[in-house]
Amino acid sequence: MSIYVLLMRDHSEGLKAIKNTGPAAVQGIVEALERWEAKILMGYRMLGQWDQCYIIEAPDNFKAYRATLAQEMSTTVDTEILPAIDLPLFERLITQSAQTAGPHSWQISWWARIARFVMYPFAYQRWGWKYFTEHAVHGKEKFKSVRAPCIIISNHQSHFDQFCLLKAVPPRIRSNLFFGAAADRWFLKGRKEITMQPWYQSLVMGSYPIQRGGGSRTLEYPKWLLDQGANLMLFPEGTRARGRHLSPFKHGVSILALEKGVPVVPVYLEGLKRIRPPGTKKNIPGPVAAHVLDPVRFAPGTSVPEATERLYATMKAFHEDIRGVE
């Protein structure tokens, strides 16, 4: 998630709306931003060229939605969206190398798999023991029909998703399962202040670096992993969901599954947003569950958009069923 500054200049209609409806006008802005998976961190009324200023947290590609958002608000305001980073991060970036470490191809070796198996309780299970008051798994037997390599996908609710998910994955797949992680956060060279260094991410956590905005290059290493018989775990929403609905799926999973001819196993997670809500660092113990859905296999000739829509429809149908009984 990234930080943006949203500047707004009121039209005459916007001023009338504020005068006539008061807080309701501001709530309309909040709702519009939430539809684009953004969250307002702070808001100000300006005394100058701009009338309103909001500090928002939003997905990395949020600025690409500027035209749509501006059109949605065009009857009331002009908008300007500016990306920002906090000063400590800026100071760190200009005083250290921007080079990244990895990917480390040795992470698929037999000794690395043994290390992950041994370290699994420390790296993952202990967090579930600490914060999951109940950790239910449903449908784990559906992995019996799945042979490596495969791709596991899940809805994305919080930083605790992996801790919940891995209990639903059999050891034969889990020990050779790899997650993508932001290269500019987890694989930067020289970041002495972080505990989990790049080698630890690759060896124990099973992570590999993803370059933000890397386009097709982002898929090169995952393709290599699948070619080596490894398994992947991906969040097709791309970022943690903030609203009640699933975000649209990106096409990366479909591209990989179709090109390599591997099955996709959807796993629906619930309860994680309450454990660690997006935008907070506070952990609140509570019950969680992982639901393994039927593996999805694509027939030859399936297009990427068709595959993405099928995966989204599968997960959305289960999401709506779960919400219906809440």
Side-chain angles (χ1 to χ4, degrees), residues 149 208 216-230 232 252 255-257 259-260:
Y208 61 88
S216 60
R217 292 180 301 161
T218 304
L219 300 180
E220 290 178 3
Y221 191 70
K223 288 180 181 179
W224 180 83
L225 287 171
L226 291 172
D227 288 339
Q228 307 310 309
L232 300 178
I255 293 172
L256 291 169
E259 182 172 327
K260 300 303 178 181

Side-chain angles (χ1 to χ4, degrees), residues 105-121:
S105 58
W106 47 255
Q107 66 182 170
I108 66 169
S109 64
W110 64 268
W111 55 266
R113 293 184 63 175
I114 292 175
R116 275 191 296 278
F117 181 83
V118 172
M119 291 294 289
Y120 172 66

Side-chain angles (χ1 to χ4, degrees), residues 63-291:
K63 194 171 183 181
Y65 305 147
R66 173 182 171 179
T68 304
L69 181 63
Q71 183 178 11
E72 187 172 333
M73 298 182 174
S74 62
T75 58
T76 57
V77 295
D78 294 324
T79 64
E80 181 68 35
I81 300 173
L82 305 171
I85 60 175
D86 61 82
L87 286 176
L89 175 59
F90 176 73
E91 292 172 357
R92 187 166 68 240
L93 289 175
I94 64 176
T95 57
Q96 69 179 22
S97 169
Q99 292 181 314
T100 58
H104 301 113
S105 58
W106 47 255
Q107 66 182 170
I108 66 169
S109 64
W110 64 268
W111 55 266
R113 293 184 63 175
I114 292 175
R116 275 191 296 278
F117 181 83
V118 172
M119 291 294 289
Y120 172 66
F122 176 81
Y124 287 102
Q125 276 187 316
R126 64 185 177 119
W127 300 105
W129 294 336
K130 185 174 183 179
Y131 293 110
F132 301 161
T133 58
E134 179 182 349
H135 192 170
V137 173
H138 307 280
K140 190 173 183 176
E141 69 280 358
K142 294 178 181 178
F143 274 104
K144 292 181 179 179
S145 66
V146 177
R147 295 291 177 266
C150 69
I151 301 174
I152 300 172
I153 65 171
S154 174
N155 54 318
H156 201 4
Q157 296 187 327
S158 83
H159 289 306
F160 277 67
D161 290 345
Q162 289 172 246
F163 307 143
C164 176
L165 171 80
L166 286 179
K167 186 178 179 180
V169 181
R172 65 181 176 84
I173 292 178
R174 188 178 65 223
S175 66
N176 200 25
L177 180 65
F178 298 93
F179 301 79
D184 57 357
R185 179 173 183 181
W186 300 109
F187 287 87
L188 268 180
K189 291 182 179 179
R191 288 194 61 180
K192 297 180 181 179
E193 74 280 8
I194 61 174
T195 302
M196 295 187 292
Q197 293 294 315
W199 66 266
Y200 184 91
Q201 289 284 347
S202 294
L203 177 62
V204 177
M205 307 303 289
S207 299
Y208 61 88
I210 292 178
Q211 300 291 342
R212 299 182 198 263
S216 60
R217 292 180 301 161
T218 304
L219 300 180
E220 290 178 3
Y221 191 70
K223 288 180 181 179
W224 180 83
L225 287 171
L226 291 172
D227 288 339
Q228 307 310 309
N231 309 293
L232 300 178
M233 195 285 134
L234 300 170
F235 296 110
E237 293 174 281
T239 188
R240 288 169 291 159
R242 293 185 174 276
R244 294 169 56 87
H245 306 288
L246 290 177
S247 298
F249 284 7
K250 294 176 171 51
H251 293 308
V253 173
S254 299
I255 293 172
L256 291 169
L258 291 170
E259 182 172 327
K260 300 303 178 181
V262 299
V264 178
V265 184
V267 180
Y268 184 87
L269 306 178
E270 61 172 326
L272 279 303
K273 189 176 291 186
R274 295 187 292 269
I275 302 290
R276 179 77 174 265
T280 70
K281 295 183 179 181
K282 183 179 181 180
N283 302 322
I284 306 171
V288 300
H291 304 264

